[in-house]
Amino acid sequence: MSTLKQKALESKLDGRQRKAALLCVERDFATEEERRTFDSIAEEIGITRKTLHQWRTQNKTFIEYVNLLADDFLAADRAFVYRQLMKTISGPQPSVKGIDLYFKRHGLITQHTVVETVDGAGGSSTDDITKDIAELDELLAEEK
């Protein structure tokens, strides 16, 4: 995590919020048997479950801080993830999706989309438009 960004976020959160964020991330990464309830986290912090819910769903600073902490947790397992990816590639039946992901990760495949817009006016000048309007006016006059 960027130290500057982390410090900036931490300065906007009180100690209870920082601890709650860490406990929420640990909860998300825990096994089913070890996973704590939000009630127990709120009780440990000394807040209500409703307050914790509001922080988790409405406080943008808290949410961003939780996401940065989660990124740090994942970064610690990056080698494991790469090892699993390589297993999908080098197994008895290599995974095309795994190979695609490997190439994208290393910049060997990029998605490049070009969107071209065409002006619908067709390049008509003001004089051309004026002539067209006059012709339409004449046709309408003949119909009456």
Side-chain angles (χ1 to χ4, degrees), residues 85-118:
L85 174 62
M86 292 310 296
K87 284 181 183 178
T88 68
I89 294 171
S90 61
Q93 185 162 357
S95 163
V96 173
K97 185 73 174 172
I99 294 167
D100 182 55
L101 181 60
Y102 178 87
F103 283 144
K104 285 179 181 175
R105 170 67 183 94
H106 292 283
L108 301 171
I109 293 178
T110 57
Q111 287 184 314
H112 183 73
T113 306
V114 177
V115 177
E116 211 175 290
T117 58
V118 179

Short mmCIF file of all heavy atoms in Angstrom, two decimals, residues 85-118:
data_model
loop_
_atom_site.label_atom_id
_atom_site.label_comp_id
_atom_site.label_asym_id
_atom_site.label_seq_id
_atom_site.Cartn_x
_atom_site.Cartn_y
_atom_site.Cartn_z
N LEU A 85 -1.55 -20.42 -11.10
CA LEU A 85 -1.72 -20.10 -12.52
C LEU A 85 -0.83 -20.99 -13.37
O LEU A 85 -1.27 -21.53 -14.39
CB LEU A 85 -1.40 -18.62 -12.77
CG LEU A 85 -1.40 -18.16 -14.23
CD1 LEU A 85 -2.78 -18.35 -14.86
CD2 LEU A 85 -0.97 -16.71 -14.32
N MET A 86 0.42 -21.15 -12.96
CA MET A 86 1.35 -21.97 -13.73
C MET A 86 0.90 -23.44 -13.76
O MET A 86 1.10 -24.13 -14.75
CB MET A 86 2.77 -21.86 -13.18
CG MET A 86 3.39 -20.47 -13.39
SD MET A 86 3.26 -19.86 -15.09
CE MET A 86 4.27 -21.04 -15.96
N LYS A 87 0.25 -23.89 -12.69
CA LYS A 87 -0.28 -25.26 -12.68
C LYS A 87 -1.36 -25.43 -13.74
O LYS A 87 -1.43 -26.47 -14.38
CB LYS A 87 -0.85 -25.61 -11.30
CG LYS A 87 0.20 -25.91 -10.26
CD LYS A 87 -0.47 -26.27 -8.93
CE LYS A 87 0.55 -26.50 -7.85
NZ LYS A 87 -0.10 -26.79 -6.54
N THR A 88 -2.18 -24.38 -13.94
CA THR A 88 -3.24 -24.50 -14.95
C THR A 88 -2.65 -24.50 -16.36
O THR A 88 -3.23 -25.07 -17.26
CB THR A 88 -4.28 -23.35 -14.85
OG1 THR A 88 -3.67 -22.12 -15.23
CG2 THR A 88 -4.87 -23.26 -13.47
N ILE A 89 -1.50 -23.86 -16.51
CA ILE A 89 -0.87 -23.78 -17.82
C ILE A 89 -0.07 -25.03 -18.13
O ILE A 89 -0.09 -25.53 -19.26
CB ILE A 89 0.02 -22.52 -17.92
CG1 ILE A 89 -0.84 -21.26 -17.86
CG2 ILE A 89 0.89 -22.54 -19.17
CD1 ILE A 89 -0.06 -19.97 -17.73
N SER A 90 0.65 -25.54 -17.14
CA SER A 90 1.57 -26.65 -17.41
C SER A 90 1.00 -28.01 -17.05
O SER A 90 1.72 -29.00 -17.07
CB SER A 90 2.87 -26.42 -16.62
OG SER A 90 2.61 -26.39 -15.23
N GLY A 91 -0.28 -28.07 -16.74
CA GLY A 91 -0.91 -29.35 -16.39
C GLY A 91 -1.06 -30.25 -17.59
O GLY A 91 -0.66 -29.92 -18.71
N PRO A 92 -1.66 -31.42 -17.37
CA PRO A 92 -1.81 -32.38 -18.48
C PRO A 92 -2.67 -31.83 -19.62
O PRO A 92 -2.46 -32.17 -20.77
CB PRO A 92 -2.50 -33.59 -17.82
CG PRO A 92 -2.97 -33.12 -16.49
CD PRO A 92 -2.20 -31.90 -16.12
N GLN A 93 -3.63 -30.98 -19.29
CA GLN A 93 -4.44 -30.32 -20.31
C GLN A 93 -4.39 -28.83 -20.04
O GLN A 93 -5.18 -28.31 -19.25
CB GLN A 93 -5.87 -30.82 -20.30
CG GLN A 93 -6.68 -30.25 -21.42
CD GLN A 93 -7.94 -31.06 -21.66
OE1 GLN A 93 -8.17 -32.08 -21.03
NE2 GLN A 93 -8.76 -30.62 -22.59
N PRO A 94 -3.46 -28.11 -20.68
CA PRO A 94 -3.28 -26.68 -20.40
C PRO A 94 -4.56 -25.88 -20.60
O PRO A 94 -5.32 -26.12 -21.53
CB PRO A 94 -2.21 -26.25 -21.39
CG PRO A 94 -1.51 -27.50 -21.77
CD PRO A 94 -2.53 -28.59 -21.68
N SER A 95 -4.78 -24.93 -19.70
CA SER A 95 -5.95 -24.08 -19.75
C SER A 95 -5.69 -22.89 -20.67
O SER A 95 -4.75 -22.13 -20.46
CB SER A 95 -6.27 -23.57 -18.35
OG SER A 95 -7.12 -22.46 -18.39
N VAL A 96 -6.52 -22.74 -21.68
CA VAL A 96 -6.40 -21.61 -22.60
C VAL A 96 -6.63 -20.31 -21.83
O VAL A 96 -5.95 -19.31 -22.04
CB VAL A 96 -7.39 -21.74 -23.77
CG1 VAL A 96 -7.39 -20.49 -24.63
CG2 VAL A 96 -7.05 -22.96 -24.61
N LYS A 97 -7.57 -20.32 -20.90
CA LYS A 97 -7.85 -19.14 -20.07
C LYS A 97 -6.62 -18.78 -19.23
O LYS A 97 -6.27 -17.61 -19.10
CB LYS A 97 -9.06 -19.41 -19.17
CG LYS A 97 -9.50 -18.24 -18.38
CD LYS A 97 -10.18 -17.23 -19.26
CE LYS A 97 -10.74 -16.11 -18.41
NZ LYS A 97 -11.25 -15.02 -19.20
N GLY A 98 -5.94 -19.78 -18.68
CA GLY A 98 -4.73 -19.54 -17.90
C GLY A 98 -3.63 -18.95 -18.75
O GLY A 98 -2.93 -18.02 -18.33
N ILE A 99 -3.47 -19.47 -19.95
CA ILE A 99 -2.45 -18.95 -20.88
C ILE A 99 -2.77 -17.51 -21.25
O ILE A 99 -1.89 -16.64 -21.25
CB ILE A 99 -2.35 -19.84 -22.14
CG1 ILE A 99 -1.82 -21.22 -21.75
CG2 ILE A 99 -1.49 -19.19 -23.21
CD1 ILE A 99 -1.96 -22.27 -22.84
N ASP A 100 -4.04 -17.23 -21.54
CA ASP A 100 -4.48 -15.87 -21.87
C ASP A 100 -4.18 -14.92 -20.71
O ASP A 100 -3.65 -13.82 -20.92
CB ASP A 100 -5.98 -15.90 -22.19
CG ASP A 100 -6.52 -14.54 -22.60
OD1 ASP A 100 -5.96 -13.95 -23.55
OD2 ASP A 100 -7.49 -14.08 -21.98
N LEU A 101 -4.51 -15.34 -19.50
CA LEU A 101 -4.25 -14.51 -18.32
C LEU A 101 -2.76 -14.26 -18.14
O LEU A 101 -2.34 -13.13 -17.85
CB LEU A 101 -4.83 -15.18 -17.08
CG LEU A 101 -4.67 -14.43 -15.77
CD1 LEU A 101 -5.34 -13.06 -15.84
CD2 LEU A 101 -5.27 -15.23 -14.64
N TYR A 102 -1.94 -15.28 -18.35
CA TYR A 102 -0.49 -15.13 -18.23
C TYR A 102 0.02 -14.09 -19.24
O TYR A 102 0.78 -13.19 -18.87
CB TYR A 102 0.19 -16.48 -18.49
CG TYR A 102 1.70 -16.42 -18.45
CD1 TYR A 102 2.38 -16.56 -17.26
CD2 TYR A 102 2.42 -16.20 -19.61
CE1 TYR A 102 3.77 -16.50 -17.22
CE2 TYR A 102 3.81 -16.13 -19.59
CZ TYR A 102 4.47 -16.29 -18.39
OH TYR A 102 5.84 -16.22 -18.37
N PHE A 103 -0.40 -14.19 -20.48
CA PHE A 103 0.04 -13.24 -21.51
C PHE A 103 -0.43 -11.82 -21.20
O PHE A 103 0.31 -10.86 -21.37
CB PHE A 103 -0.43 -13.66 -22.90
CG PHE A 103 0.37 -14.79 -23.50
CD1 PHE A 103 -0.25 -15.76 -24.28
CD2 PHE A 103 1.73 -14.89 -23.31
CE1 PHE A 103 0.48 -16.78 -24.85
CE2 PHE A 103 2.47 -15.92 -23.87
CZ PHE A 103 1.85 -16.87 -24.64
N LYS A 104 -1.67 -11.68 -20.75
CA LYS A 104 -2.18 -10.35 -20.39
C LYS A 104 -1.39 -9.76 -19.22
O LYS A 104 -1.06 -8.58 -19.22
CB LYS A 104 -3.66 -10.41 -20.05
CG LYS A 104 -4.55 -10.56 -21.25
CD LYS A 104 -6.01 -10.64 -20.86
CE LYS A 104 -6.88 -10.81 -22.08
NZ LYS A 104 -8.28 -11.00 -21.73
N ARG A 105 -1.10 -10.60 -18.24
CA ARG A 105 -0.37 -10.14 -17.05
C ARG A 105 1.01 -9.60 -17.42
O ARG A 105 1.51 -8.67 -16.82
CB ARG A 105 -0.26 -11.29 -16.05
CG ARG A 105 0.66 -11.06 -14.88
CD ARG A 105 0.10 -9.97 -13.97
NE ARG A 105 0.98 -9.67 -12.89
CZ ARG A 105 1.88 -8.70 -12.89
NH1 ARG A 105 2.04 -7.94 -13.93
NH2 ARG A 105 2.64 -8.49 -11.84
N HIS A 106 1.63 -10.20 -18.41
CA HIS A 106 2.97 -9.79 -18.81
C HIS A 106 2.98 -8.85 -20.01
O HIS A 106 4.02 -8.59 -20.61
CB HIS A 106 3.84 -11.03 -19.07
CG HIS A 106 4.11 -11.79 -17.80
ND1 HIS A 106 5.03 -11.37 -16.88
CD2 HIS A 106 3.54 -12.90 -17.29
CE1 HIS A 106 5.04 -12.20 -15.86
NE2 HIS A 106 4.14 -13.14 -16.09
N GLY A 107 1.80 -8.34 -20.37
CA GLY A 107 1.71 -7.34 -21.43
C GLY A 107 1.93 -7.87 -22.83
O GLY A 107 2.20 -7.11 -23.76
N LEU A 108 1.82 -9.17 -23.00
CA LEU A 108 2.03 -9.77 -24.31
C LEU A 108 0.75 -9.77 -25.14
O LEU A 108 0.80 -9.92 -26.35
CB LEU A 108 2.56 -11.20 -24.15
CG LEU A 108 3.89 -11.28 -23.38
CD1 LEU A 108 4.24 -12.73 -23.07
CD2 LEU A 108 5.01 -10.60 -24.15
N ILE A 109 -0.38 -9.61 -24.48
CA ILE A 109 -1.66 -9.45 -25.15
C ILE A 109 -2.34 -8.24 -24.52
O ILE A 109 -2.40 -8.13 -23.31
CB ILE A 109 -2.58 -10.67 -24.95
CG1 ILE A 109 -2.03 -11.91 -25.63
CG2 ILE A 109 -3.99 -10.37 -25.46
CD1 ILE A 109 -2.89 -13.14 -25.41
N THR A 110 -2.79 -7.37 -25.36
CA THR A 110 -3.53 -6.22 -24.84
C THR A 110 -4.84 -6.13 -25.59
O THR A 110 -4.95 -6.52 -26.75
CB THR A 110 -2.76 -4.90 -25.03
OG1 THR A 110 -2.47 -4.72 -26.42
CG2 THR A 110 -1.46 -4.91 -24.25
N GLN A 111 -5.83 -5.63 -24.93
CA GLN A 111 -7.10 -5.40 -25.60
C GLN A 111 -7.09 -3.97 -26.09
O GLN A 111 -6.93 -3.03 -25.32
CB GLN A 111 -8.26 -5.61 -24.63
CG GLN A 111 -8.48 -7.07 -24.31
CD GLN A 111 -9.69 -7.26 -23.43
OE1 GLN A 111 -9.85 -6.55 -22.46
NE2 GLN A 111 -10.52 -8.22 -23.78
N HIS A 112 -7.21 -3.84 -27.39
CA HIS A 112 -7.18 -2.52 -28.00
C HIS A 112 -8.45 -2.36 -28.82
O HIS A 112 -8.68 -3.08 -29.78
CB HIS A 112 -5.93 -2.39 -28.89
CG HIS A 112 -5.77 -1.05 -29.51
ND1 HIS A 112 -5.38 0.05 -28.77
CD2 HIS A 112 -5.93 -0.61 -30.77
CE1 HIS A 112 -5.32 1.10 -29.58
NE2 HIS A 112 -5.65 0.72 -30.79
N THR A 113 -9.27 -1.43 -28.41
CA THR A 113 -10.54 -1.20 -29.10
C THR A 113 -10.51 0.19 -29.70
O THR A 113 -10.14 1.16 -29.04
CB THR A 113 -11.72 -1.29 -28.11
OG1 THR A 113 -11.64 -2.54 -27.45
CG2 THR A 113 -13.04 -1.15 -28.81
N VAL A 114 -10.88 0.27 -30.97
CA VAL A 114 -10.93 1.56 -31.65
C VAL A 114 -12.39 1.87 -31.96
O VAL A 114 -13.09 1.05 -32.53
CB VAL A 114 -10.11 1.52 -32.97
CG1 VAL A 114 -10.24 2.83 -33.71
CG2 VAL A 114 -8.65 1.20 -32.69
N VAL A 115 -12.81 3.03 -31.55
CA VAL A 115 -14.18 3.47 -31.83
C VAL A 115 -14.09 4.64 -32.78
O VAL A 115 -13.43 5.63 -32.51
CB VAL A 115 -14.91 3.89 -30.53
CG1 VAL A 115 -16.30 4.41 -30.85
CG2 VAL A 115 -14.96 2.73 -29.56
N GLU A 116 -14.76 4.49 -33.92
CA GLU A 116 -14.71 5.53 -34.94
C GLU A 116 -16.10 6.14 -35.06
O GLU A 116 -17.09 5.42 -35.17
CB GLU A 116 -14.31 4.89 -36.27
CG GLU A 116 -13.54 5.80 -37.17
CD GLU A 116 -13.06 5.06 -38.41
OE1 GLU A 116 -12.18 4.21 -38.28
OE2 GLU A 116 -13.60 5.35 -39.49
N THR A 117 -16.18 7.44 -34.99
CA THR A 117 -17.48 8.09 -35.15
C THR A 117 -17.50 8.83 -36.48
O THR A 117 -16.49 9.39 -36.91
CB THR A 117 -17.76 9.09 -34.01
OG1 THR A 117 -16.72 10.06 -33.99
CG2 THR A 117 -17.81 8.38 -32.68
N VAL A 118 -18.65 8.79 -37.12
CA VAL A 118 -18.82 9.45 -38.40
C VAL A 118 -19.87 10.53 -38.22
O VAL A 118 -20.95 10.27 -37.70
CB VAL A 118 -19.25 8.44 -39.50
CG1 VAL A 118 -19.45 9.15 -40.82
CG2 VAL A 118 -18.23 7.33 -39.62
#
